[in-house]
Amino acid sequence: MSGIRGGMSGLSGLKAVVTGGASGIGLATSRMLAEQGATVAVIDLDPFGVPEPLIALQADLRDDASVCAAVEAAAGQLGGLDILVNNAGIGAVGTVEDNPDEEWHRVLDVNVLGTVRTTRAALPYLRRSSHAAVVNTCSIAATAGLPQRALYSAGKGAVLSLTLAMAADHVREGIRVNCVNPGTADTPWVTRLLDAADDPEAERAALDARQPLGRLVTADEVAAAVVYLASPAAGSVTGIALAVDGGMQGLRLRPAAGA
Ligand SMILES: NC(=O)c1ccc[n+]([C@@H]2O[C@H](COP(=O)([O-])OP(=O)(O)OC[C@H]3O[C@@H](n4cnc5c(N)ncnc54)[C@H](O)[C@@H]3O)[C@@H](O)[C@H]2O)c1
């Protein structure tokens, strides 16, 4: 008999924390985890609009004390912790010449150190779980050279390497660590980028065309991959990066006929 609670994909009885769970990929993930039976706490800069039954906890991932307090509150309210989704992140645009040191520190502080702080705070609880899983939201930017994303890519490259190192460090404690690598996903983040473009329609068409499937990834498609990696159904999966990118990393197409 399988020891999986609630069936192959069921998350019944499991307790999850999602950072950046108030918007986009994080909100879709939080909802899907809850739909599959997990109890879910969202840690976000501004979590107060999250729908029931999600538990809202405010924290700034740049502040270790704030992260520790939120993770402790989450574990207290949930009665433990089985799943940690390190998803919160911020963007940066530019070549290596463009971003001042202050911006490098700020973006890496959220995107890399935020993951470190939350995981560090969660590990004592995860060690007590028999279905412990960490899933990091990485990016296609970690595995492909994208123009104008030097700082953002450096941070996501660090998240990819950190995922592998953490998977090795904690495998014998029964804690699995994986990441998802989304392509460009249709979230409020990308809406903000498009709004800031000179020609938003042309920019959207260029982003759609860059992915072989010809469209942006949806937040739910990324969420489904995160939920799989977080679930007991992925009990033999650790140290992997699951691309959800419309074929962007793996495929090399010839131009479409007539294009
Ligand atoms: N949208 C994309 O195309 C795309 C592609 C690849 C990877 N990603 C990654 O997916 C993740 C989520 O992106 P999204 O598109 O859903 O973005 P989003 O802007 O819709 O959501 C990000 C959430 O993180 C929270 N957040 C930001 N800084 C924080 C901080 N210091 N402390 C706590 N919370 C903070 C925000 O309040 C927000 O709710 C990010 O890590 C991003 O790098 C996004």
Side-chain angles (χ1 to χ4, degrees), residues 129-221:
S129 164
S130 45
H131 294 289
V134 177
V135 185
N136 300 323
T137 308
C138 190
S139 172
I140 178 76
T143 57
L146 306 181
Q148 295 284 329
R149 292 291 183 277
L151 162 52
Y152 181 69
S153 302
K156 291 298 181 178
V159 170
L160 178 60
S161 298
L162 180 62
T163 301
L164 299 175
M166 294 196 308
D169 283 335
H170 303 295
V171 67
R172 291 191 177 134
E173 299 179 315
I175 301 169
R176 298 180 300 102
V177 185
N178 295 288
C179 67
V180 290
N181 287 359
T184 307
D186 199 354
T187 70
W189 169 320
V190 169
T191 308
R192 288 192 296 273
L193 270 179
L194 293 178
D195 288 346
D198 292 339
D199 182 346
E201 244 175 71
E203 181 68 13
R204 169 77 192 225
L207 290 176
D208 282 342
R210 187 165 69 172
Q211 300 188 155
L213 279 170
R215 62 168 176 83
L216 299 191
V217 172
T218 70
D220 277 346
E221 289 168 336

Side-chain angles (χ1 to χ4, degrees), residues 9-113:
S9 61
L11 300 177
S12 164
L14 298 183
K15 295 130 188 166
V17 161
V18 180
T19 71
S23 176
I25 291 168
L27 179 57
T29 300
S30 301
R31 284 186 146 130
M32 211 174 278
L33 287 167
E35 277 160 21
Q36 299 208 12
T39 44
V40 184
V42 162
I43 295 179
D44 202 291
L45 273 181
D46 179 12
F48 300 110
V50 298
E52 301 241 331
L54 306 179
I55 297 168
L57 293 166
Q58 202 275 331
D60 183 344
L61 294 196
R62 291 171 298 180
D63 174 8
D64 193 47
S66 153
V67 171
C68 288
V71 170
E72 198 182 320
Q77 290 186 43
L78 298 171
L81 193 53
D82 305 287
I83 294 166
L84 171 64
V85 182
N86 286 307
N87 165 80
I90 55 176
V93 175
T95 72
V96 74
E97 291 182 299
D98 295 332
N99 309 103
D101 282 9
E102 182 282 327
E103 192 178 5
W104 275 85
H105 287 297
R106 184 167 53 81
V107 173
L108 297 179
D109 202 9
V110 178
N111 292 7
V112 183
L113 284 153

